[in-house]
Amino acid sequence: MSSSSTRRGATRQKLYEAAVTLIAEQGFSSTTVEEIADRAGVAKGTVYYNFASKTELFEGLLRHGVGLLTDSLRGAAADRPPLEALDAMVRAGLEFIAAYPSFAQLFVAETWRTNRAWHDTLRLLRDEAVSVVADVLDDAVRQGELAPDLDTRLTASALFGMVLVVALDWLAFQPERDIADVHAALVRLLHGRISA
């Protein structure tokens, strides 16, 4: 990678970090390009050099953040038996959201705003992340570890949403809890071990 593309990548990373924090705090419409540039410590022109518009910056931010999450889920599942992979993906999801809480809040908020210019992009990105979970569920069904009639796509969406919402709830309302406790509770629920 050339030094100019390395610099550009570092600049974009700073812009993403500034944008996600500001947009999570103030909303997309209330956040200006000037504020993003100021928070990132760059000139306003630098924002427009890297992105044609605030909308393009936001779409890039979504791609970047969901890409990191998807890579994290894939990495957690790699070379593991399916049920162990599911447990590892739950942990990876919790760790990702603990590391990027502003992005997770933004992702959840934007999921419900279907009138946004980037909604189709967000749907594709979300589907890609959910597909990683669904692929592991498909493997578990093929190996006889889960019921053959399991709707793996819907179940994957449920697991993805469960981790996302529980992680945000944990960080907002129970931050004193250890991640291991949260993971253990979700894994017990996932494996149906909550009855007496």
Short mmCIF file of all heavy atoms in Angstrom, two decimals, residues 49-76:
data_model
loop_
_atom_site.label_atom_id
_atom_site.label_comp_id
_atom_site.label_asym_id
_atom_site.label_seq_id
_atom_site.Cartn_x
_atom_site.Cartn_y
_atom_site.Cartn_z
N TYR A 49 -12.60 16.32 0.05
CA TYR A 49 -11.59 15.64 -0.76
C TYR A 49 -11.81 14.12 -0.68
O TYR A 49 -11.62 13.40 -1.65
CB TYR A 49 -10.18 16.00 -0.28
CG TYR A 49 -9.10 15.25 -1.00
CD1 TYR A 49 -8.73 15.60 -2.30
CD2 TYR A 49 -8.46 14.17 -0.39
CE1 TYR A 49 -7.74 14.89 -2.97
CE2 TYR A 49 -7.48 13.47 -1.06
CZ TYR A 49 -7.11 13.83 -2.35
OH TYR A 49 -6.15 13.12 -3.01
N ASN A 50 -12.22 13.65 0.50
CA ASN A 50 -12.41 12.21 0.72
C ASN A 50 -13.82 11.73 0.40
O ASN A 50 -14.01 10.56 0.06
CB ASN A 50 -12.07 11.87 2.17
CG ASN A 50 -10.59 11.84 2.41
OD1 ASN A 50 -9.95 10.84 2.15
ND2 ASN A 50 -10.02 12.95 2.86
N PHE A 51 -14.81 12.61 0.51
CA PHE A 51 -16.21 12.24 0.29
C PHE A 51 -16.91 13.37 -0.44
O PHE A 51 -16.73 14.54 -0.09
CB PHE A 51 -16.92 11.97 1.62
CG PHE A 51 -16.27 10.89 2.44
CD1 PHE A 51 -15.41 11.21 3.48
CD2 PHE A 51 -16.50 9.55 2.17
CE1 PHE A 51 -14.79 10.22 4.22
CE2 PHE A 51 -15.88 8.56 2.91
CZ PHE A 51 -15.02 8.90 3.94
N ALA A 52 -17.73 13.05 -1.40
CA ALA A 52 -18.42 14.07 -2.19
C ALA A 52 -19.46 14.83 -1.38
O ALA A 52 -19.79 15.97 -1.68
CB ALA A 52 -19.07 13.44 -3.42
N SER A 53 -19.98 14.18 -0.31
CA SER A 53 -21.03 14.81 0.49
C SER A 53 -21.07 14.18 1.87
O SER A 53 -20.45 13.14 2.11
CB SER A 53 -22.39 14.60 -0.19
OG SER A 53 -22.72 13.22 -0.20
N LYS A 54 -21.84 14.80 2.74
CA LYS A 54 -22.03 14.23 4.09
C LYS A 54 -22.73 12.88 3.98
O LYS A 54 -22.41 11.94 4.73
CB LYS A 54 -22.84 15.21 4.94
CG LYS A 54 -23.00 14.76 6.38
CD LYS A 54 -23.63 15.83 7.26
CE LYS A 54 -25.09 15.97 7.00
NZ LYS A 54 -25.81 16.76 8.01
N THR A 55 -23.66 12.75 3.04
CA THR A 55 -24.35 11.48 2.83
C THR A 55 -23.38 10.39 2.41
O THR A 55 -23.44 9.26 2.91
CB THR A 55 -25.48 11.64 1.79
OG1 THR A 55 -26.43 12.57 2.30
CG2 THR A 55 -26.17 10.33 1.50
N GLU A 56 -22.46 10.72 1.51
CA GLU A 56 -21.46 9.73 1.08
C GLU A 56 -20.55 9.34 2.24
O GLU A 56 -20.18 8.18 2.40
CB GLU A 56 -20.63 10.28 -0.08
CG GLU A 56 -19.69 9.24 -0.66
CD GLU A 56 -18.86 9.77 -1.81
OE1 GLU A 56 -19.46 10.10 -2.85
OE2 GLU A 56 -17.62 9.85 -1.66
N LEU A 57 -20.18 10.32 3.08
CA LEU A 57 -19.38 10.04 4.28
C LEU A 57 -20.14 9.07 5.18
O LEU A 57 -19.59 8.09 5.67
CB LEU A 57 -19.06 11.33 5.02
CG LEU A 57 -18.52 11.20 6.45
CD1 LEU A 57 -17.20 10.44 6.49
CD2 LEU A 57 -18.34 12.58 7.07
N PHE A 58 -21.43 9.33 5.39
CA PHE A 58 -22.21 8.47 6.28
C PHE A 58 -22.35 7.07 5.71
O PHE A 58 -22.24 6.08 6.44
CB PHE A 58 -23.60 9.10 6.52
CG PHE A 58 -24.37 8.38 7.57
CD1 PHE A 58 -24.00 8.46 8.90
CD2 PHE A 58 -25.47 7.60 7.25
CE1 PHE A 58 -24.72 7.78 9.88
CE2 PHE A 58 -26.18 6.93 8.22
CZ PHE A 58 -25.80 7.03 9.54
N GLU A 59 -22.56 6.98 4.41
CA GLU A 59 -22.67 5.66 3.78
C GLU A 59 -21.34 4.91 3.91
O GLU A 59 -21.31 3.71 4.19
CB GLU A 59 -23.07 5.80 2.32
CG GLU A 59 -23.68 4.54 1.77
CD GLU A 59 -24.46 4.79 0.48
OE1 GLU A 59 -25.33 5.66 0.45
OE2 GLU A 59 -24.18 4.05 -0.47
N GLY A 60 -20.23 5.62 3.75
CA GLY A 60 -18.91 5.01 3.95
C GLY A 60 -18.73 4.55 5.38
O GLY A 60 -18.16 3.50 5.64
N LEU A 61 -19.21 5.35 6.32
CA LEU A 61 -19.15 4.99 7.74
C LEU A 61 -19.92 3.70 8.00
O LEU A 61 -19.44 2.80 8.70
CB LEU A 61 -19.71 6.13 8.58
CG LEU A 61 -20.00 5.85 10.05
CD1 LEU A 61 -18.72 5.53 10.80
CD2 LEU A 61 -20.71 7.03 10.68
N LEU A 62 -21.12 3.59 7.42
CA LEU A 62 -21.90 2.36 7.59
C LEU A 62 -21.16 1.15 7.02
O LEU A 62 -21.08 0.10 7.66
CB LEU A 62 -23.27 2.50 6.92
CG LEU A 62 -24.25 3.47 7.56
CD1 LEU A 62 -25.48 3.63 6.69
CD2 LEU A 62 -24.63 3.04 8.96
N ARG A 63 -20.61 1.31 5.81
CA ARG A 63 -19.85 0.21 5.19
C ARG A 63 -18.67 -0.20 6.07
O ARG A 63 -18.41 -1.37 6.28
CB ARG A 63 -19.35 0.62 3.81
CG ARG A 63 -20.40 0.71 2.76
CD ARG A 63 -19.80 1.07 1.40
NE ARG A 63 -20.82 1.38 0.44
CZ ARG A 63 -21.56 0.47 -0.19
NH1 ARG A 63 -21.36 -0.80 0.04
NH2 ARG A 63 -22.49 0.84 -1.05
N HIS A 64 -17.96 0.80 6.55
CA HIS A 64 -16.78 0.55 7.38
C HIS A 64 -17.17 -0.19 8.67
O HIS A 64 -16.58 -1.22 9.00
CB HIS A 64 -16.11 1.89 7.70
CG HIS A 64 -14.94 1.78 8.62
ND1 HIS A 64 -13.73 1.25 8.23
CD2 HIS A 64 -14.80 2.13 9.92
CE1 HIS A 64 -12.90 1.27 9.25
NE2 HIS A 64 -13.52 1.80 10.29
N GLY A 65 -18.16 0.33 9.38
CA GLY A 65 -18.55 -0.25 10.67
C GLY A 65 -19.13 -1.65 10.55
O GLY A 65 -18.73 -2.56 11.28
N VAL A 66 -20.05 -1.83 9.62
CA VAL A 66 -20.66 -3.16 9.46
C VAL A 66 -19.63 -4.13 8.90
O VAL A 66 -19.63 -5.31 9.25
CB VAL A 66 -21.94 -3.10 8.60
CG1 VAL A 66 -22.52 -4.50 8.41
CG2 VAL A 66 -22.98 -2.20 9.25
N GLY A 67 -18.71 -3.63 8.08
CA GLY A 67 -17.63 -4.49 7.58
C GLY A 67 -16.76 -5.01 8.71
O GLY A 67 -16.39 -6.18 8.74
N LEU A 68 -16.44 -4.12 9.67
CA LEU A 68 -15.66 -4.55 10.84
C LEU A 68 -16.42 -5.61 11.65
O LEU A 68 -15.83 -6.60 12.09
CB LEU A 68 -15.33 -3.36 11.74
CG LEU A 68 -14.33 -2.34 11.23
CD1 LEU A 68 -14.24 -1.15 12.20
CD2 LEU A 68 -12.95 -2.97 11.06
N LEU A 69 -17.71 -5.38 11.84
CA LEU A 69 -18.54 -6.34 12.58
C LEU A 69 -18.60 -7.68 11.86
O LEU A 69 -18.42 -8.73 12.47
CB LEU A 69 -19.94 -5.78 12.80
CG LEU A 69 -20.96 -6.72 13.43
CD1 LEU A 69 -20.48 -7.21 14.79
CD2 LEU A 69 -22.31 -6.04 13.54
N THR A 70 -18.83 -7.64 10.56
CA THR A 70 -18.92 -8.88 9.77
C THR A 70 -17.60 -9.65 9.82
O THR A 70 -17.60 -10.87 10.01
CB THR A 70 -19.32 -8.56 8.32
OG1 THR A 70 -20.57 -7.87 8.33
CG2 THR A 70 -19.46 -9.82 7.48
N ASP A 71 -16.49 -8.94 9.67
CA ASP A 71 -15.17 -9.59 9.76
C ASP A 71 -14.96 -10.21 11.14
O ASP A 71 -14.40 -11.30 11.27
CB ASP A 71 -14.06 -8.60 9.46
CG ASP A 71 -14.02 -8.17 8.01
OD1 ASP A 71 -14.69 -8.81 7.16
OD2 ASP A 71 -13.33 -7.16 7.71
N SER A 72 -15.42 -9.51 12.17
CA SER A 72 -15.30 -10.02 13.54
C SER A 72 -16.10 -11.30 13.72
O SER A 72 -15.62 -12.27 14.33
CB SER A 72 -15.78 -8.93 14.51
OG SER A 72 -15.83 -9.41 15.81
N LEU A 73 -17.31 -11.34 13.18
CA LEU A 73 -18.15 -12.55 13.28
C LEU A 73 -17.53 -13.70 12.51
O LEU A 73 -17.47 -14.83 13.01
CB LEU A 73 -19.56 -12.26 12.76
CG LEU A 73 -20.38 -11.24 13.54
CD1 LEU A 73 -21.70 -10.96 12.84
CD2 LEU A 73 -20.61 -11.70 14.98
N ARG A 74 -17.05 -13.42 11.30
CA ARG A 74 -16.40 -14.47 10.50
C ARG A 74 -15.18 -15.03 11.22
O ARG A 74 -14.96 -16.24 11.25
CB ARG A 74 -15.97 -13.92 9.15
CG ARG A 74 -17.03 -13.92 8.12
CD ARG A 74 -16.46 -13.74 6.70
NE ARG A 74 -17.55 -13.52 5.81
CZ ARG A 74 -17.90 -12.34 5.30
NH1 ARG A 74 -17.20 -11.26 5.57
NH2 ARG A 74 -18.93 -12.24 4.51
N GLY A 75 -14.37 -14.13 11.75
CA GLY A 75 -13.16 -14.57 12.47
C GLY A 75 -13.50 -15.43 13.68
O GLY A 75 -12.81 -16.42 13.95
N ALA A 76 -14.55 -15.06 14.39
CA ALA A 76 -14.95 -15.83 15.58
C ALA A 76 -15.44 -17.22 15.20
O ALA A 76 -15.21 -18.19 15.94
CB ALA A 76 -16.05 -15.09 16.34
#
